[in-house]
Amino acid sequence: MPNIQSVIEVLYHKYRSCSEGHVASYIPELAKANPDDFAIVVVTVEGEVFKVGQTEVAFSLQSTSKPFTYGLILEEFGREFVLTKVGVEPTGEAFNSIVELEKQTHLPYNPMINSGAIAVSSLIKAPNFSERVKRVMTLFENYIGHPLVGDEAIFQSEKNTAHRNRSIAHLLRHFNVIEDDIDESLDLYFKQCSILANTQDLAMMAATLANNGIQPHTQKTAIKSEYVSDLLSLMFTCGMYDSSGEWAYSVGIPAKSGVSGAILGVVPGIMGIAVFSPPIDSKGHSVRGVKVFQELSKNLNLSIFKGKKS
Ligand code: GLU
């Protein structure tokens, strides 16, 4: 394999001056992000770290969190039950679409879009709300390997403006996908989206999935290995929303994006990759992030369709 450090440094310098895309503003607090921040981190399954750029800048996980909470409820309730609440089909619609809920089964199509992720949040149970939040924080701490905090301002900002997500939750309640109070489940979803992490943390989450659920540094199990392929297959088919097909074609690895400008990608058995750069495209993906992943995949021969990695 070519020298990873020099490959990511070349890509960082190549795309540093890219000015395409816009920082997300539909959650007002996200608009404060610095569009010049840019970081690339690779963590191998052996725990080796390669990094370049502003790797210490913290951002909110947003939708990069969605595969991981899905894993939590799979472990707790098993596939059979979870499939009665959220499906495994791509929508071809935007991440915050509501239309598919009116179709056929009235279930969210998959857990990578907002409707599916809100349904997943409703299944994360505990005796009270702060215990529910603690379960979610502990989940991410197990993947990342150190304590985390949430960003209260981003949480409040999303909560105060989440009219579309609220509509989705009401429909989910109407169809009994959510069986109890929607407000608390929405708040839990906003808490999960507002957890702060940096690019190295995100790459570590990806590397843990690449390493079959075992965190490469702590050697602790973050998710049972039997469920890792559930997460990866859904990231692959649905993780990049309505550009998942294009991503499969041009990058070819399971991935998940977030509107804060983060993208994580998993090369099973090899490495986790994360790119952070706040300006996003019309589908909600970091513009620099997509370009870096496309080239990194070519340069390091990462596509899962390219056969044996050397
Ligand atoms: N919290 C965001 C929302 O619900 C997540 C969207 C994303 O990151 O793609 O709109």
Side-chain angles (χ1 to χ4, degrees):
M1 179 167 295
N3 182 314
I4 296 173
Q5 185 62 37
S6 58
V7 170
I8 62 174
E9 279 174 19
V10 167
L11 292 177
Y12 175 79
H13 291 293
K14 179 167 177 184
Y15 291 116
R16 205 164 46 155
S17 57
C18 169
S19 58
E20 292 165 44
H22 299 282
V23 172
S25 58
Y26 76 98
I27 299 172
E29 198 63 23
L30 292 184
K32 294 182 180 166
N34 179 356
D36 297 329
D37 282 339
F38 181 25
I40 308 171
V41 180
V42 172
V43 178
T44 68
V45 292
E46 292 83 21
E48 208 176 343
V49 178
F50 303 93
K51 52 183 174 178
V52 63
Q54 291 74 55
T55 56
E56 300 307 319
V57 171
F59 49 83
S60 52
L61 287 177
Q62 298 301 331
S63 290
T64 59
S65 61
K66 288 172 178 170
F68 302 92
T69 48
Y70 181 62
L72 184 70
I73 66 154
L74 273 178
E75 280 189 324
E76 185 165 346
F77 298 106
R79 286 183 192 105
E80 205 179 327
F81 173 76
V82 171
L83 279 170
T84 67
K85 293 291 181 183
V86 52
V88 290
E89 282 301 328
T91 61
E93 304 286 349
F95 67 92
N96 55 5
S97 167
I98 202 163
V99 290
E100 75 279 359
L101 284 177
E102 283 285 35
K103 292 185 198 161
Q104 297 171 10
T105 60
H106 305 301
L107 295 182
Y109 270 41
N110 69 72
M112 302 295 131
I113 51 173
N114 289 9
S115 54
I118 293 166
V120 166
S121 292
S122 76
L123 291 168
I124 302 172
K125 308 280 191 206
N128 56 52
F129 182 65
S130 66
E131 293 290 320
R132 291 177 80 184
V133 175
K134 202 164 159 216
R135 282 195 70 190
V136 171
M137 294 303 273
T138 304
L139 170 75
F140 289 97
E141 287 169 356
N142 287 340
Y143 278 95
I144 291 174
H146 63 76
L148 296 169
V149 292
D151 186 313
E152 186 60 24
I154 293 178
F155 166 74
Q156 287 297 343
S157 183
E158 177 159 9
K159 181 177 161 118
N160 295 340
T161 54
H163 308 297
R164 184 175 266 274
N165 282 337
R166 254 174 234 291
S167 320
I168 288 172
H170 276 290
L171 262 191
L172 291 172
R173 181 71 190 85
H174 173 77
F175 291 125
N176 278 322
V177 175
I178 295 181
E179 291 177 26
D180 44 25
D181 179 39
I182 60 165
D183 290 320
E184 214 184 86
S185 294
L186 276 168
D187 279 355
L188 190 61
Y189 170 72
F190 306 143
K191 283 279 179 196
Q192 148 194 345
C193 289
S194 58
I195 292 172
L196 290 176
N198 63 34
T199 314
Q200 181 163 331
D201 295 334
L202 201 65
M204 197 57 82
M205 288 158 62
T208 301
L209 291 181
N211 198 32
N212 227 2
I214 297 171
Q215 215 272 9
H217 284 177
T218 64
Q219 293 298 314
K220 277 196 192 155
T221 300
I223 178 171
K224 284 187 191 140
S225 60
E226 66 186 280
Y227 292 115
V228 170
S229 60
D230 298 60
L231 273 59
L232 295 183
S233 59
L234 281 161
M235 288 165 70
F236 192 74
T237 53
C238 314
M240 299 303 282
Y241 305 136
D242 42 341
S243 48
S244 295
E246 198 183 325
W247 180 271
Y249 180 79
S250 65
V251 182
I253 64 170
K256 186 72 205 78
S257 65
V259 289
S260 50
I263 305 180
L264 66 85
V266 178
V267 189
I270 312 274
M271 64 175 69
I273 305 165
V275 181
F276 169 62
S277 164
I280 56 174
D281 61 22
S282 60
K283 307 271 171 96
H285 313 310
S286 166
V287 174
R288 287 193 188 102
V290 171
K291 291 180 193 293
V292 167
F293 267 98
Q294 285 173 341
E295 261 184 68
L296 204 56
S297 174
K298 263 193 220 116
N299 294 347
L300 300 181
N301 194 31
L302 300 180
S303 169
I304 59 174
F305 302 107
K306 289 274 168 68
K308 197 173 176 298
K309 310 280 185 295
S310 52

